[in-house]
Amino acid sequence: MEASSGYKDYVAGLMAGVATVITGHPFDTVKVKLQKYNTEAGGVKYKNGLHCATRILQTEGVKGLYRGATSSFIGMAFESSLSFGIYSQTKRFLQGEIDGGKPQPHAIVPSAAFGGAIISFILCPSELVKVSDARVPNFLLYLEYHLCNVVFQCRMQVQGTDFMVAKSTRFSGPRECALKTVQQEGLTGMFRGGLATLLRESVGNAVFFSTYEYARYFMHLQLKGASSESTQLIDVGVGLMSGGLGGIAFWSAVLPLDVAKTIIQTTPTPEKNHSRNPFSVLNLIYRRSGLRGCYTGLGPTLVRAFPANAAAIVAWELSAKLLGIRRDQ
């Protein structure tokens, strides 16, 4: 891309975020509900991702799949703007040249990880508002209790109206959820699960952009002899495939951290034996549910990952072209 692209990198990233939410939020809602309710000791609430989605549609309609989407649009817009913008500009700085050649890991990995670390500070409070509606009196025993009252996208997503999930304190919207969280836990409550989010985003972004860049590079090599008339279609196709593969690689690598984050964000106000260390949480989940428990929600997550990230990459690349940001093949 051009060294003078400046703010345009961030605008293109913002468009990628909008495309991601529109495409992927329903899948994310299903993932969060599975992570929350299928890890409690009372038994599995949903048979699989399809069963969970069907229950949501039956009890809440399509709007149930977009529960917590308001905070998602805000969070994802800023997240993607910063993620893609920081990644593009940092990589360009480290490479010292136009990025049209062979992918350079020494520039891709640190640039992506740095962008991921920065956006984690935006994602943590935004996702906290999403995941609500299930807290327990003692964290170390959370798998042994029926989940009751909770806390902000995870808090809003988990709440719902499905009769299969015990009724609990409701939040009328993200604002009320955020205000109650601050009242009960202070400003630090907004960053519950911050370490897990930081690790998920830094590691995940490095995996995502590495997979995307290499997949894009090798696919363009194979299609190098294509006619100029089909170039636009090829670019879209390559974007869809490389973005989708990047998304699958991202979640395959960091889903356990995401499961830990969801549990940390939806447990009660910390008590003396409560742990916010994601590795301690994963150890507990592993002892209770095995490796399968650490990958709770894998199905809907991967189903979401391909189309959501494919849409994000295509939106990013097309926006970059419209904004005059040049990227050699």
Side-chain angles (χ1 to χ4, degrees), residues 104-291:
Q104 300 179 35
H106 73 274
I108 295 172
V109 173
S111 299
F114 177 56
I118 296 298
I119 64 176
S120 69
F121 292 98
I122 294 175
L123 277 179
C124 187
S126 173
E127 292 185 349
L128 183 71
V129 178
K130 288 198 304 177
V131 296
S132 200
D133 229 356
R135 289 194 164 193
V136 295
N138 185 313
F139 171 73
L140 292 178
L141 298 176
Y142 81 89
L143 287 176
E144 298 179 4
Y145 287 84
H146 287 288
L147 302 174
C148 46
N149 294 328
V150 182
V151 0
F152 167 150
Q153 190 183 18
C154 280
R155 303 191 171 187
M156 291 299 296
Q157 282 175 315
V158 172
Q159 144 170 307
T161 60
D162 193 342
F163 70 80
M164 296 189 71
V165 175
K167 289 185 177 180
S168 55
T169 301
R170 305 291 179 184
F171 298 111
S172 61
R175 180 179 297 181
E176 181 188 353
C177 190
L179 288 174
K180 286 189 175 180
T181 297
V182 173
Q183 289 173 357
Q184 294 171 4
E185 304 177 40
L187 288 176
T188 57
M190 298 285 286
F191 291 91
R192 177 188 290 232
L195 177 58
T197 306
L198 174 65
L199 292 172
R200 184 194 70 183
E201 292 302 313
S202 56
V203 174
N205 265 27
V207 172
F208 171 78
F209 280 109
S210 295
T211 302
Y212 158 69
E213 293 284 5
Y214 276 98
R216 178 180 182 274
Y217 173 73
F218 285 113
M219 279 190 278
H220 274 298
L221 275 185
Q222 297 299 317
L223 300 169
K224 205 168 185 179
S227 62
S228 57
E229 291 79 6
S230 60
T231 299
Q232 189 71 27
L233 186 60
I234 288 176
D235 286 345
V236 172
V238 170
L240 289 171
M241 289 301 298
S242 58
L245 291 174
I248 289 176
F250 178 106
W251 286 109
S252 296
V254 302
L255 186 62
L257 287 170
D258 188 63
V259 173
K261 178 196 71 69
T262 297
I263 297 301
I264 292 170
Q265 289 184 330
T266 55
T267 50
T269 302
E271 300 179 2
K272 62 180 181 180
N273 55 355
H274 176 99
S275 175
R276 291 191 182 184
N277 184 325
F279 299 107
S280 297
V281 177
L282 284 175
N283 180 54
L284 176 59
I285 295 174
Y286 182 77
R287 286 191 284 112
R288 294 283 184 173
S289 308
L291 187 62

